[in-house]
Amino acid sequence: MKNFLKVAKVSFMVMACALFLGIGIKAEAAPGKVAGLKQVDANSGSVTIQWDVPAGDVKAYLVEWCQSNTFTGSTYSYAQTTGTGAKITNLAAGKSYYVRVTAADSEAAGLTSNAIETVTAPSGKVANFKQTKAEAKKIPVSWKKVTGANGYYIGYYKKSTNGKTKFVTTGNVSSYKLSAAENTRYRVDILPIRKSSTGFVAYGANSPGFKDMATTPKKVTKLKFIGSGSSTDPYAKMAYFSWSRSDAAEGYEYTLYGNNGKQAAKGTIKTDKPNKGVAISNKKLVNTQFMKIRVRAYITVNGSKKYGPPSDYCWFGKYPPSVKKAMAGRYASDGVKISWKKMTGAKNYTVYVSTKPNSGYKKVTTTSKTSCVIKKCGGSTITTGKYYYYKVVASKKVGKKTIKSDDDWHGEFFITTRYY
């Protein structure tokens, strides 16, 4: 609002001018001193003030403001009002203005109030707002100072829960460390402020917008091999894993190692639900050897990845290579030969057979060789005219633990009789 101070009567203006020039003042008839003067609102171009009604028959108030507490100089201004509040406009952003108020009746002016400092809000936007370091229980942030600001107002909340926002008011600084929970990602925003000596805070209206920031991720746990291959190909260079979710993580880095322990490949995965299973596709994911993997979570700080501790190693094996079937002889009673190629790291191989594709598998044999003949399924001899299903599972010993290859895949055979 412009020109918010209005005079009710022309006669009052004449009276007020004479009054404040000290003509005809009767001190004994003057209203009391204005008290309770305070700032109640602000934006980048105005301040709003209020005060208490003093004793006496008050007809009007003189409101004075200036950038100097001496009320002199080119920034000095004044206006009249009949209410107990005023909005002073056309002010500069991010500045302090000293304000005082004097009450008057139709004959005399009272004592002038004590002056207070009022402030307008900074109009600039905080630039270069960023996280500067990864820490376990703090989020260090920095920014470029805004002209006219003597403090900053930071709000942040946990991203995973969209929880209650916490607020922090800083002094005239360009960096701060936010207290934060371990292994947690936050949304963080900042506003420039100007605070007066009375404690009133004028908040800027421009923020850089909420940014993702986080504490250092914790160690990845519960890393588990789920399966391998594509939906139709057991030899596709893919594998599936799951691990514990990190509330801080922006993403995860995995490292693959061959059976000899040497690094084979490295990659990154962005997922919010690694505990639900993650597909990793990499040309180094082969089924000719047992492999191991480890995973660590990361956040990005200042364009650089900062990592949490890596998980323990998880050994795994895909379906053994080149598994094939062939008749062992001319008759069903001769059985069916199952063969495969050697899998580096495997101690032995176990062959299973069933009359159902997804259940009921019976062990045929465990061998260190690369083939075996299936003549029976359970206690029954293999016959013609019936479907049988088989699978080969390789085993590796790691310490006291036995690691088995992917056992989700199976083959099938059906023996028919031909007459010549």
Side-chain angles (χ1 to χ4, degrees):
M1 291 172 56
K2 292 183 179 180
N3 300 322
F4 67 93
L5 299 173
K6 295 182 180 179
V7 179
K9 298 180 181 179
V10 173
S11 60
F12 171 70
M13 289 184 65
V14 175
M15 176 279 297
C17 289
L19 174 65
F20 293 116
L21 287 173
I23 300 175
I25 295 177
K26 296 181 180 180
E28 67 275 13
K33 182 179 180 179
V34 171
L37 179 60
K38 61 184 177 182
Q39 182 175 0
V40 295
D41 198 9
N43 59 35
S44 61
S46 71
V47 300
T48 303
I49 56 173
Q50 289 180 356
W51 57 86
D52 299 332
V53 178
D57 184 20
V58 179
K59 297 299 183 182
Y61 299 91
L62 178 71
V63 179
E64 301 171 275
W65 63 93
C66 186
Q67 285 187 352
S68 169
N69 59 8
T70 63
F71 290 86
T72 59
S74 61
T75 61
Y76 171 76
S77 299
Y78 68 91
Q80 300 166 11
T81 181
T82 56
T84 56
K87 183 175 183 179
I88 306 171
T89 60
N90 298 320
L91 304 179
K95 297 290 186 180
S96 290
Y97 291 86
Y98 294 90
V99 179
R100 63 189 182 187
V101 179
T102 306
D105 61 17
S106 58
E107 297 182 355
L111 295 175
T112 300
S113 71
N114 295 330
I116 65 166
E117 179 192 12
T118 64
V119 288
T120 56
S123 60
K125 182 189 292 186
V126 176
N128 297 333
F129 182 49
K130 60 188 177 183
Q131 183 175 356
T132 58
K133 191 178 178 182
E135 294 189 11
K137 296 183 179 181
K138 298 282 185 181
I139 299 179
V141 293
S142 69
W143 58 89
K144 185 178 180 180
K145 286 186 176 182
V146 174
T147 301
N150 62 9
Y152 297 86
Y153 189 60
I154 305 174
Y156 62 113
Y157 64 90
K158 293 181 180 179
K159 184 178 180 180
S160 61
T161 61
N162 198 25
K164 183 178 180 181
T165 303
K166 295 182 179 180
F167 295 99
V168 171
T169 300
T170 78
N172 191 17
V173 296
S174 59
S175 63
Y176 191 83
K177 281 191 176 185
L178 298 170
S179 295
E182 291 182 286
N183 189 50
T184 304
R185 180 160 287 271
Y186 288 85
R187 300 278 286 158
V188 190
D189 200 2
I190 186 170
L191 282 174
I193 63 173
R194 189 170 183 88
K195 186 176 181 180
S196 73
S197 55
T198 65
F200 181 84
V201 176
Y203 297 90
N206 295 319
S207 79
F210 279 98
K211 298 178 180 291
D212 279 8
M213 300 180 184
T215 49
T216 306
K218 68 178 181 181
K219 178 180 178 178
V220 170
T221 59
K222 300 180 181 178
L223 178 57
K224 181 181 178 182
F225 173 65
I226 299 174
S228 62
S230 68
S231 59
T232 58
D233 182 7
Y235 305 125
K237 291 177 171 54
M238 297 178 65
Y240 305 87
F241 302 87
S242 65
W243 58 82
S244 60
R245 180 181 181 277
S246 166
D247 285 338
E250 177 183 335
Y252 301 86
E253 180 190 76
Y254 68 85
T255 306
L256 294 169
Y257 301 85
N259 183 72
N260 59 6
K262 292 183 178 180
Q263 181 177 311
K266 184 178 288 188
T268 57
I269 294 288
K270 285 198 173 184
T271 174
D272 287 331
K273 298 179 180 179
N275 52 313
K276 300 295 184 181
V278 176
I280 293 178
S281 179
N282 194 295
K283 64 182 181 180
K284 296 296 185 179
L285 275 167
V286 296
N287 64 331
T288 55
Q289 63 175 325
F290 273 92
M291 304 186 74
K292 63 181 179 179
I293 184 174
R294 68 176 181 177
V295 177
R296 57 180 179 171
Y298 70 84
I299 61 176
T300 301
V301 178
N302 246 350
S304 177
K305 288 186 175 68
K306 305 298 180 182
Y307 298 93
S311 68
D312 295 335
Y313 290 105
C314 171
W315 281 93
F316 67 95
K318 299 179 67 179
Y319 194 60
S322 302
V323 178
K324 298 178 182 179
K325 62 180 183 261
M327 289 296 297
R330 295 183 62 185
Y331 306 104
S333 58
D334 294 328
V336 174
K337 181 180 180 181
I338 307 298
S339 63
W340 56 91
K341 288 186 177 180
K342 183 176 177 59
M343 189 173 183
T344 302
K347 180 181 179 181
N348 52 47
Y349 308 86
T350 302
V351 180
Y352 299 88
V353 66
S354 177
T355 55
K356 298 177 182 179
N358 298 315
S359 63
Y361 281 90
K362 307 295 183 182
K363 176 181 173 180
V364 177
T365 186
T366 296
T367 178
S368 58
K369 298 178 180 180
T370 55
S371 67
C372 81
V373 175
I374 300 175
K375 291 185 177 182
K376 290 186 176 182
C377 179
S380 302
T381 302
I382 297 296
T383 64
T384 58
K386 193 173 184 178
Y387 279 98
Y388 293 91
Y389 305 89
Y390 63 92
K391 60 177 61 178
V392 180
V393 179
S395 296
K396 174 183 175 66
K397 196 77 171 179
V398 179
K400 295 182 179 180
K401 187 176 181 180
T402 298
I403 308 300
K404 294 184 179 295
S405 64
D406 187 356
D407 63 356
D408 285 340
W409 295 94
H410 63 263
E412 66 180 35
F413 59 83
F414 183 90
I415 303 175
T416 59
T417 300
R418 289 184 180 181
Y419 294 94
Y420 297 93

